[in-house]
């Protein structure tokens, strides 16, 4: 609780469920920089967030494919995709997709991408293998895309999802597709912590 600094904040896309909680962030934390795919400030939350970053003089780094951030100690965060997807006007598909690489371990963070965005990601990135997959779009049906799971071949999957959410996430097809893979869900397990040491991955949960 005494650590009031966040080195990097990533706004994958400016929809309310990803943005609203960030608006007051600079009042509580010292933020080192923000990585975002941008997008028009077409909502009160977007405008408030932009104003807060300017007031706090937080550097904003535009996310572009192949942008790589050196996190120190050999860890690298790479933007795999960001921005418009041909044939899709869904803002979920334009979000920032990231991979964290550290030694022999990695975490793939595809954000809220749905099928068009995931297929675009598969076409743009030849090697999507990762040790841990953060399930796209809160475990929605598109997260069960067989080509994605075959490309990533995760050893563990984390689904960030609210309990009793009105969208029915995670979708039964996604859960069936992930059968046999260690699965961690925030609706069941509470906060999920993924720790990488470069050689192995340890996943801890708030609740068993």
């Amino acid at each position: 609780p005494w650590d009031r600094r966040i080195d990097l904040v990533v706004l994958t896309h400016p929809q309310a469920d990803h943005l609203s909680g960030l608006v007051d962030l600079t009042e509580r934390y010292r933020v080192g920089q923000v990585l975002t795919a941008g997008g028009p400030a077409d909502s009160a939350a977007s405008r408030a967030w932009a104003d807060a970053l300017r007031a706090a003089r937080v550097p904003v780094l535009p996310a572009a494919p192949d942008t790589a951030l050196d996190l120190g100690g050999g860890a690298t965060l790479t933007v795999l995709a960001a921005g418009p997807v041909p044939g899709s006007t869904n803002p979920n598909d334009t979000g920032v997709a990231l991979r964290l690489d550290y030694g022999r371990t990695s975490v793939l963070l595809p954000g809220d991408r749905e099928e068009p965005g995931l297929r675009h990601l598969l076409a743009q990135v030849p090697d999507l293998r990762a040790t841990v997959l953060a399930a796209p779009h809160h475990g929605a049906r598109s997260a069960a895309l067989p080509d994605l799971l075959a490309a990533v071949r995760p050893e563990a999957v984390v689904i960030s999802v609210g309990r009793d959410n009105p969208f029915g996430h995670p979708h039964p097809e996604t859960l069936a597709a992930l059968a046999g893979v260690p699965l961690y869900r925030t609706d069941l397990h509470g906060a999920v912590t993924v720790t990488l040491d470069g050689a192995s991955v340890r996943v801890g949960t708030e609740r068993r």
Side-chain angles (χ1 to χ4, degrees):
W2 55 85
D3 185 356
R4 310 309 295 176
R5 177 175 173 82
I6 299 176
D7 296 316
L8 174 68
V9 173
V10 179
L11 174 61
T12 57
H13 59 298
Q15 282 192 314
D17 61 329
H18 288 248
L19 173 61
S20 297
L22 297 179
V23 172
D24 298 326
L25 197 68
T26 58
E27 296 180 7
R28 302 180 59 190
Y29 294 91
R30 290 175 291 114
V31 177
Q33 63 179 333
V34 168
L35 177 70
T36 178
D42 56 359
S43 69
S46 292
R47 292 187 288 273
W49 170 239
D51 290 344
L53 294 179
R54 280 194 294 269
R57 297 183 178 180
V58 178
V60 177
L61 177 64
D66 298 325
T67 299
L69 301 178
D70 183 355
L71 302 184
T76 304
L77 188 67
T78 304
V79 177
L80 302 180
V85 170
S88 175
T89 58
N90 186 340
N92 286 336
D93 289 328
T94 69
V96 182
L98 301 165
R99 184 169 58 208
L100 171 65
D101 291 289
Y102 182 36
R104 298 194 303 271
T105 58
S106 55
V107 179
L108 181 64
L109 303 154
D112 266 5
R113 287 175 174 260
E114 299 183 48
E115 186 166 345
L118 293 172
R119 292 201 179 280
H120 182 259
L121 181 63
L122 285 161
Q124 296 298 309
V125 184
D127 186 0
L128 279 177
R129 285 177 296 178
T131 317
V132 178
L133 170 66
H137 201 196
H138 315 289
R141 188 176 187 178
S142 54
L145 191 66
D147 292 347
L148 174 71
L149 298 178
V152 180
R153 290 181 282 170
E155 297 177 13
V157 174
V158 179
I159 300 180
S160 176
V161 61
R163 179 178 291 184
D164 299 324
N165 67 86
F167 307 103
H169 300 330
H171 195 277
E173 286 188 23
T174 297
L175 297 178
L178 295 173
V181 180
L183 180 62
Y184 303 90
R185 297 168 44 175
T186 57
D187 60 336
L188 300 180
H189 300 110
V192 177
T193 303
V194 178
T195 304
L196 294 78
D197 63 12
S200 61
V201 172
R202 183 174 71 254
V203 180
T205 60
E206 182 182 10
R207 299 189 295 269
R208 291 187 177 181

